[in-house]
Amino acid sequence: MEQQSETTRLKVAIIGCGRVSAKHIRAISRLSDKMELCALVDTNPDAPSSLLHSCKKKIKNYNSFCASIHNYIDYKEMLSDIHPDIVGITVPSGLHFQVAKDCLEAGANLLLEKPMTMSNKSSRELYELAQNLGRVIVMGHIYRYFPIVSLLHQDMVDGKFGKVGHGSVIVRWGHDNDYYHSAAWRGTWKSDGGALMNQSVHALDLMCYLMNAEPVSVSGMIANRFRDMEAEDTALGVYTFNNGALCQVEGTTSTFPNDQEASFFINAEKASIRIGLRKGKPSYSVTTPKGKNLAFKYLRRYIKEVGLSYLIQVAKNPHYGIYCDLYRSITEHSAPVADGRSGYVAVDMVLGFYKSVLKKSEVGLPLPSEFKIEDMTKVQLR
Ligand SMILES: NC(=O)c1ccc[n+]([C@@H]2O[C@H](COP(=O)([O-])OP(=O)(O)OC[C@H]3O[C@@H](n4cnc5c(N)ncnc54)[C@H](O)[C@@H]3O)[C@@H](O)[C@H]2O)c1
């Protein structure tokens, strides 16, 4: 990788100007000393201007921010014109692999949205390609960037919580049928997957990060209870981890869209950790065996480490933290928090779960060979 100086403004492009890309735009606009948005790409020629317009109120110096942006409908043309240092990839999940591969080969570093790709084989291939080319992939695993999470991870790594007994993760991220009807790729096995692959994949990743462990097996069941989609709207299962811990998982999109919730629980010898997000409101508790809640202590430590203004930005928009991390990783040649490896491990976790549904038995992880998600069309969902 070329040497980048601390003050270099990196050129950023975004490919895919749909729902999530607004979070990328807002994050980049807050980092104008470090990066410049140079291109927006979408096959729908109206999408870039609609996207910018939708972000107008949240972007300071909107006109000057927009002045450097060129719009494209073909990302390959953009890559050869702009030579971006960073590409934010926010196209439908089924396109992640090809777009990410082309961007890496054109010399870009990536903020790749989750899930990394739709296959365990291609996710690993992307990770290895980036390693070989000396490029950085940071994943859109937003939960890793929530306040205090990095400290909890570090204390787990340092053994401060003792042995982990078990964990539990709940993702009740309700979406209605209008959401599934809003684009042809949503809720399909080939291009999106269901509640696990889309809404829960980064929550599974957070459990690995917090428990400082990787899964060794999974057994699960899925159903489609309420939503008009091909893949599952509900999944329940259990993972075992390489530290012996069990982790139960509930992932669903069939709950009410106005009551979205993600909750994480870890039962360790010296602390029980709860992180939650419900209706956009975060909650944290780190309880000692004597019942003392250390959450404020962690928050104070976190503010001391990252500063109040970073905390405010990242609490409003975790993608801000991801772009900061990517910038640091490129300029300081350090590994990002949500690295490419976390991307393919999380995809492997989801596909292992799906395989266990198909096989009706527990499945070992990592998967020994490619599991084709299209095989899930053989499963009868109720
Ligand atoms: N990290 C997060 O919190 C988060 C949140 C939501 C979505 N996501 C992920 O982001 C991705 C996009 O999700 P979304 O809800 O924004 O989807 P979306 O359908 O709203 O947007 C996708 C955009 O990509 C465009 N597009 C399609 N093919 C293209 C191509 N070949 N070249 C350029 N543009 C193309 C579409 O026209 C559309 O505007 C998905 O992988 C999803 O899982 C991540």
Side-chain angles (χ1 to χ4, degrees), residues 32 78 93 100 116 137 169 184 212 215 237 248-249 263 368:
S32 56
M78 179 281 290
S93 307
M116 189 173 206
I137 298 181
V169 53
N212 188 35
Q248 75 171 10
V249 178
S263 304

Side-chain angles (χ1 to χ4, degrees), residues 315-363:
K316 281 198 271 191
N317 179 14
H319 280 82
Y320 174 83
I322 310 184
Y323 274 100
C324 289
D325 191 27
L326 179 55
Y327 182 85
R328 183 184 51 80
S329 189
I330 295 167
T331 54
E332 297 177 15
H333 307 288
S334 56
V337 170
D339 60 4
R341 190 166 193 287
S342 74
Y344 83 70
V345 170
V347 167
D348 203 59
M349 283 179 90
V350 171
L351 291 175
F353 192 118
Y354 286 155
K355 186 175 173 183
S356 91
V357 171
L358 194 66
K359 300 276 173 211
K360 296 194 169 92
S361 66
E362 191 174 4
V363 160

Side-chain angles (χ1 to χ4, degrees), residues 17 40-42 44-53 69 71-72:
C17 299
L40 289 174
V41 188
D42 202 292
N44 170 2
D46 298 329
S49 51
S50 306
L51 168 63
L52 284 173
H53 190 72
I69 304 173
N71 294 347
Y72 289 85

Side-chain angles (χ1 to χ4, degrees), residues 68-98:
S68 55
I69 304 173
H70 298 82
N71 294 347
Y72 289 85
I73 52 172
D74 179 348
Y75 72 86
K76 289 188 182 168
E77 197 182 324
M78 179 281 290
L79 290 172
S80 75
D81 283 0
I82 302 281
H83 302 289
D85 301 295
I86 292 174
V87 179
I89 298 182
T90 55
V91 291
S93 307
L95 301 175
H96 286 187
F97 174 66
Q98 194 57 53

Side-chain angles (χ1 to χ4, degrees), residues 20 22-24 26-27 29-30 57-60 142 145-147 173 277 279-282 284 302 307-322:
V20 78
K23 294 180 179 168
H24 291 239
R26 277 164 42 209
S29 76
R30 299 265 167 193
K57 285 192 184 140
K58 301 220 166 150
I59 297 178
K60 279 190 201 153
I142 51 171
Y145 296 85
F146 278 20
W173 214 258
L277 184 70
K279 293 187 175 189
K281 281 199 185 132
Y284 300 91
Y302 187 71
L308 189 59
S309 86
Y310 176 89
L311 167 76
I312 292 168
Q313 290 305 329
V314 91
K316 281 198 271 191
N317 179 14
H319 280 82
Y320 174 83
I322 310 184

